[in-house]
Amino acid sequence: MEPQNTNMNGEATLLFTHAKTLRLHTGNLVSRSRLKKKCPSSPSEELQDCIQATLSDWLASPKLPSEEFPDTLDCSIPQETDAIPPEEREELKVSVKLFLCEPVQSSISDAVEMACQTLGVSQLDSVIIAPPGPVEGDSQTLANLQPAWEELTALVRNQQIAAIGTSDLDKDLLEQLYNWADVKPSSNQVNLASCCVMPPDLTAFAKEFDIQLLTHNDPKELISAATFQQAVQEGTQRAIAADWRLEWVLRYSIIVKSRGIIKAKGYLVSAGKASP
């Protein structure tokens, strides 16, 4: 086993040294046996486990020999990936929550494009955006949300997304966004860890303007930079240096409309090589 591990580390080092972008797809967690047996205590722990296991499985899978090292490293497990057959598309709802870790231009369109390609669909039914939090001590403002919302709006007009929503907006900020936006938010997620009862003013506003209020238990920071580096290093048997910056994480679920059950769920992750 030692020669194989040494070779795997050498291959990983070369691939990760040359790559500038890392794209990772966990595959369907509903059917992926290695992760199915785990019961993570939080979304953060689930994502960490997924990144580590996916990189480990990807490096252990056979690869075609190549003299070129790609700029974009696509780490996915083909046999664990369930694209939606065209004949089943109408029966299924594809819901996405997109966590933006950095305000990188075109991150949203890149993430949506990758999700559509990965799942074999031309349109996502709903996308909820979780933009980067404000600088410590500041509060979220409409100005912080506008660039992301403009990008989402363009994707709605291009028919790549059917409906768009927000996360953790109070009544005042949700009202500001609603009044400003050409494409209105169809939903707003509320974290019940910090709010055990829906605020009455938020509930009243959402009801008046037909905005669906949903609940979630995601932390403000889905995964820290240090935890991400740790997951990558452990997944590659510590073959690479900690020099990757997480750009975005997309979590998807595919639901059977008639039965309300989850057929598939997973994560897509994008990271860029940090500047020296």
Side-chain angles (χ1 to χ4, degrees):
M1 291 298 292
E2 282 303 315
Q4 182 181 359
N5 286 344
T6 302
N7 182 59
M8 184 189 296
N9 280 353
E11 180 183 24
T13 301
L14 288 172
L15 287 168
F16 279 89
T17 298
H18 285 81
K20 296 176 182 176
T21 302
L22 171 65
R23 294 285 170 89
L24 181 144
H25 177 214
T26 62
N28 182 5
L29 305 185
V30 173
S31 61
R32 189 170 173 187
S33 56
R34 178 170 174 178
L35 292 163
K36 192 175 171 182
K37 297 172 185 175
K38 291 197 171 187
C39 296
S41 61
S42 67
S44 298
E45 184 182 323
E46 178 181 66
L47 179 57
Q48 183 180 3
D49 289 344
C50 288
I51 292 170
Q52 183 178 334
T54 299
L55 286 171
S56 178
D57 289 351
W58 180 77
L59 284 170
S61 63
K63 295 171 183 58
L64 293 174
S66 174
E67 295 181 0
E68 296 182 0
F69 294 100
D71 285 343
T72 298
L73 204 53
D74 180 15
C75 301
S76 60
I77 315 300
Q79 64 269 30
E80 303 289 355
T81 302
D82 289 334
I84 298 174
E87 63 272 15
E88 295 182 19
R89 180 64 182 96
E90 288 301 312
E91 304 166 11
L92 304 171
K93 179 180 180 181
V94 182
S95 299
V96 159
K97 185 170 183 179
L98 178 58
F99 302 85
L100 297 178
C101 306
E102 292 187 352
V104 179
Q105 190 68 25
S106 81
S107 284
I108 296 173
S109 54
D110 288 348
V112 168
E113 182 65 29
M114 184 176 173
C116 287
Q117 289 181 359
T118 301
L119 302 178
V121 299
S122 60
Q123 184 184 66
L124 305 177
D125 293 297
S126 71
V127 173
I128 289 174
I129 191 78
V135 177
E136 190 72 28
D138 293 343
S139 57
Q140 188 73 274
T141 66
L142 179 61
N144 297 141
L145 294 171
Q146 285 172 329
W149 202 260
E150 286 172 344
E151 199 171 345
L152 285 171
T153 297
L155 293 169
V156 171
R157 288 177 173 152
N158 290 341
Q159 299 186 331
Q160 286 182 277
I161 305 175
I164 49 180
T166 58
S167 181
D168 299 315
L169 300 194
D170 60 19
K171 182 262 179 183
D172 290 342
L173 190 50
L174 183 60
E175 184 175 11
Q176 290 175 39
L177 176 63
Y178 187 91
N179 291 335
W180 168 80
D182 291 330
V183 176
K184 309 298 183 185
S186 63
S187 61
N188 180 44
Q189 282 192 337
V190 178
N191 191 332
L192 289 186
S194 59
C195 171
C196 55
V197 178
M198 289 284 186
D201 60 344
L202 179 62
T203 303
F205 180 81
K207 183 177 181 181
E208 181 180 356
F209 293 97
D210 197 26
I211 300 171
Q212 186 179 15
L213 292 182
L214 308 168
T215 60
H216 75 94
N217 65 338
D218 298 314
K220 286 186 177 180
E221 185 178 48
L222 184 60
I223 184 169
S224 68
T227 302
F228 175 67
Q229 301 289 6
Q230 180 184 352
V232 172
Q233 289 191 1
E234 291 180 359
T236 57
Q237 299 186 6
R238 301 197 175 275
I240 61 170
D243 57 358
W244 291 92
R245 296 184 61 162
L246 195 59
E247 294 172 347
W248 52 260
V249 175
L250 182 149
R251 184 176 64 211
Y252 66 85
S253 60
I254 301 173
I255 301 166
V256 181
K257 292 178 183 177
S258 60
R259 296 157 62 194
I261 62 170
I262 296 177
K263 180 178 181 180
K265 66 177 182 179
Y267 291 92
L268 302 176
V269 176
S270 179
K273 182 71 65 72
S275 300

